[in-house]
Amino acid sequence: MARQRRATRRPGPTQAAGPGDEGQASRRPPARLPSVLNVHSIAGQVLILQVGVVLLLVVAAVAALVLQARNSSLQAARARSLVGAETFAHAPGTVAAMKSAEPSAVLQPRAEEARKLARVNYVIAFSPTGIRWTHPDPHLIGKRVVGSYADALAGKVHQATYNTPGVGRAVDTMVPVTDADGKVVGLVSVGISVQRVDRMVMRQMPLLFGSAAAGLVLVTGGSALVSRRLRRQTHGLEPAEMTRMYEHHDAVLHSVREGVLVLDGEERLQLANDEAGRLLDLPADATGKRITELGLSPRAVALLASDRAVSDEVVLAGERLLAVNVRPTIPHGGSGGSVATLRDTTELRELAGRARIARERLQLLYDAGVRIGTTLDVVRTAEELTEIAVPRFADFATVALLEAVRQGEEPDGTSLAMHRTAVRGVRDDHPLYRVDQMITWLPEMPQAQGLRRGHAVLERDLRASRSWRAQDPERARRMLDFGIRSLVSVPLQARGIALGVADFWRSDQEAFTEEDLAVAEELAARAAVAIDNARRYTREHTMAATLQRSLLPRALPEQSALDVAYRYLPAQAKVGGDWFDVIPLPGTRVALVVGDVVGYGLHAAATMGRLRTVVHNFCALDLSPDELLSHLDELVAQIDETETAEGEGDGAGITGATCQFAVYDPVSGRCCIARAGHPGPALVSPDGTVTFPDVPVSPPLGLCAGMPVETAELHLAEGSRLALYTDGLVENRDRDLDAGLRLLAGALAAPDRTPEQDCQAVFDALVPDRPSDDIALLVARTRLTDPDRVADWDVPSDPAAIAPLRAACARRLESWGLDEISYTTELILSELVTNAIRYGGEPIRLRLLLDRDSLICEVADGSSTSPHMRRAATTDEGGRGLFLVAQFARRWGVRYTARGKVIWCEQSLETAEGGPEEAMGEALLDEWDESAL
């Protein structure tokens, strides 16, 4: 009833007032706790007890102090009495006065003076027979002393306390007075009243009692504050109520089948009932320790120490699955901390186990989707499947693929001969087939059955199965001895075509079950798609690489102007459009070309081949570098426009290309260079100094939009080295262009080195292990033509000058040892010079160049009119000159210069059978057919 009354008087914090109580609540004064002086409350009883104890202590302290003061007064009285007696007895003249005839006359005044000065009650001197010589009362002088003084006569100091009439309780000290012979001549007795000393002590009693009173007040106030705090903490409960509450609390706390934990704000365990200790296996001394020191799992610690409300969250504690509820104590009036309840959900353990297995399988499949197929490499993809399966799904995993799949070809899906591609296990000493071994599955093997059915095959207990041993009985026996006892074989299929087989083996884990088949098939399906993508990429990459290799130069042409070496390195994972070329030109000149088509794959390789073919055709026209790049730009723009229109934006069209074209003339040592969007060349002087000539750059091919291409002309000393390269050499994702050029200059900076050595040094310094872009490098060391192998003449515009010119040429040919072709050469020169005089313009110049296996004749004039070879009619007197030149020369042509043209022809130094006259006769006869004759 008392609790009900108190509950009515103090509603709990969660109790809400009804709608009809709002007015009363507004008028009713706020409820207050009972007074501290209420003796029925714990706080009141504690306050009264504390005040009583303090009061008793104060009284005892005062009594002790009084008794101590009285004792001190008695001791002080004894000391003053003894000092006074000793002082008077040993004062000068005392002995003489006692031996005199009238001791009283001398001693009485001295005794009274000493009594007053010492503030004692009396100073009495008397004879050894007991007759008083001095006394405060003169009437008692001459009378006998009452009492015993035998000790004093014996020479001892005698001190006693007794009640003296008229004085009260006093201390008397009797001291003997002796002469020089030690004889007692008299005695001195000094007495002092104890009350006299007590008065001095009592003067300090007000301070003593004041201090006691102040202490009592302070202690009482402190007790009141403590009691007030206790009243608040106990909510004014009476002892009986608190006893009943504790009994109920203890009964409920330790009787319920639900664990209860109370934590403070520092995550220390304040209380744990028996059920919580059992569920969490708490040690006996767990109370007071931090929750992190109780050996619980990290998830359980995080959940129990959470500062948020938790409802029925499941956590695994040992072998128990617990449902945890956590509530902070702050909203309910408590200090910082939380209360947690635990419930053993043993019946949910099996469900939790299945949920865990399902979660692990989902995580496995998720990881497989992320980690399988990270590269477009068939072998690496197979290895990734084994890595994700071991040890999370199987103890050993193997993958065997059809040879066609490994080569990137389309498999037929019927072959049982496979190539072991990947093997992974928890141990390396397993007896499984090793990587690179060929395996032909027998029809009764689980692998063959899986390929035939298109689904996974389970061999739960290999020891009880016989079919899988037919392939290799000895190996099967060793596998059983090794501990392998369960198998799941899954065909790798994509687009309905079998690519291979994935086998999962278990030795330490539990044997596979039917539920594992779905996981195995899902793993195999994801891997099969990635393997098929890698296979198709491999096929496309192989085709592109093959096309690219077929379109690049397989060998450099022979020429005498340059010593050339090259390097070409395709990208690791893709085929680009980088290309290079060395093209001999008329007049012992050589063209060096390096280009790069934007993009990768078959399209880039095919475009590169087209551009290289076009460059060869343009070189056959002997165009200058700037003119050649202009024509090439128009072609690329046309290709880009045409293919973009046909592809309708599907990305089939190219977006441009870059190219650098250089022509070197060994006779003059000049090199004319032009570039379109391409990195400039590096020039190494004969002493090893590296420079990067300033070659004007034009926009990439296809983007010039008709803008003119500028050229640079370099004069190269003999032995200089010119390096042309693509951007993949000097620039990548880890290095910018400036850093790449610095490395290139450092690699080339060495004198007296061959182009082959330069190529190797550059690749060693700049090429990464896995290049992300194609790299092309062309290094050419210059040579100069020996002046003795060059002869040139200025030709007057007069036909009469032909005869002396032919004679001069004959003499030069004779000096070169070319008498065998002298007649043919004179004929060719006569025809070319005659045409230049007749149809060309001044200045006319003739030049003979002796190359390694040929003689080159060049006739330059100031006219841009191009000659054309034609078949002359039977009645024509002329028109056969160029025809004869074409018949006797290995090749001939025309190239245009800034001031005219040059007609050239090249003769082989190998003499034709039958001699030049016979050859010329046959050529003339070919001009007429039988019908004309």
Side-chain angles (χ1 to χ4, degrees), residues 442-662:
L442 297 180
E444 60 268 25
M445 293 292 292
Q447 292 81 359
Q449 297 178 20
L451 290 171
R452 185 169 57 254
R453 300 174 186 173
H455 297 287
V457 176
L458 171 63
E459 291 288 349
R460 181 180 178 85
D461 189 358
L462 294 176
R463 293 169 293 186
S465 176
R466 300 294 178 184
S467 60
W468 74 282
R469 306 188 187 191
Q471 183 79 29
D472 192 341
E474 177 60 25
R475 186 180 299 274
R477 183 190 62 79
R478 287 191 282 116
M479 291 172 62
L480 292 176
D481 294 341
F482 185 77
I484 297 176
R485 65 177 186 273
S486 187
L487 163 67
V488 171
S489 181
V490 191
L492 297 173
Q493 296 177 322
R495 298 177 294 108
I497 300 176
L499 306 176
V501 175
D503 293 334
F504 303 102
W505 313 79
R506 283 185 178 178
S507 58
D508 299 332
Q509 303 182 40
E510 295 182 359
F512 288 111
T513 63
E514 294 290 340
E515 296 179 353
D516 294 319
L517 294 180
V519 179
E521 288 185 342
E522 183 65 23
L523 283 175
R526 300 190 180 196
V529 172
I531 290 174
D532 189 54
N533 289 337
R535 177 195 64 79
R536 293 197 290 177
Y537 170 78
T538 301
R539 180 182 61 181
E540 181 179 346
H541 184 272
T542 302
M543 293 175 57
T546 302
L547 176 62
Q548 184 187 45
R549 285 193 299 269
S550 66
L551 295 175
L552 288 173
R554 298 189 179 184
L556 296 180
E558 295 183 0
Q559 42 81 33
S560 58
L562 297 169
D563 182 10
V564 183
Y566 69 92
R567 288 288 189 278
Y568 183 82
L569 183 64
Q572 186 71 24
K574 46 194 174 182
V575 175
D578 291 15
W579 55 285
F580 66 93
D581 216 335
V582 178
I583 305 173
L585 298 177
T588 68
R589 295 171 302 129
V590 177
L592 302 176
V593 190
V594 173
D596 184 4
V597 176
V598 176
Y600 298 96
L602 284 172
H603 183 77
T607 304
M608 176 267 292
R610 297 167 70 178
L611 294 182
R612 180 169 177 258
T613 301
V614 170
V615 170
H616 271 271
N617 292 335
F618 285 156
C619 286
L621 299 177
D622 212 346
L623 300 178
S624 62
D626 55 340
E627 191 174 1
L628 185 144
L629 290 183
S630 297
H631 288 298
L632 202 61
D633 171 67
E634 295 176 1
L635 175 65
V636 172
Q638 182 180 1
I639 294 175
D640 192 6
E641 180 180 355
T642 302
E643 295 190 353
T644 301
E646 293 177 354
E648 294 297 335
D650 60 357
I654 63 173
T655 58
T658 65
C659 183
Q660 184 167 221
F661 189 85

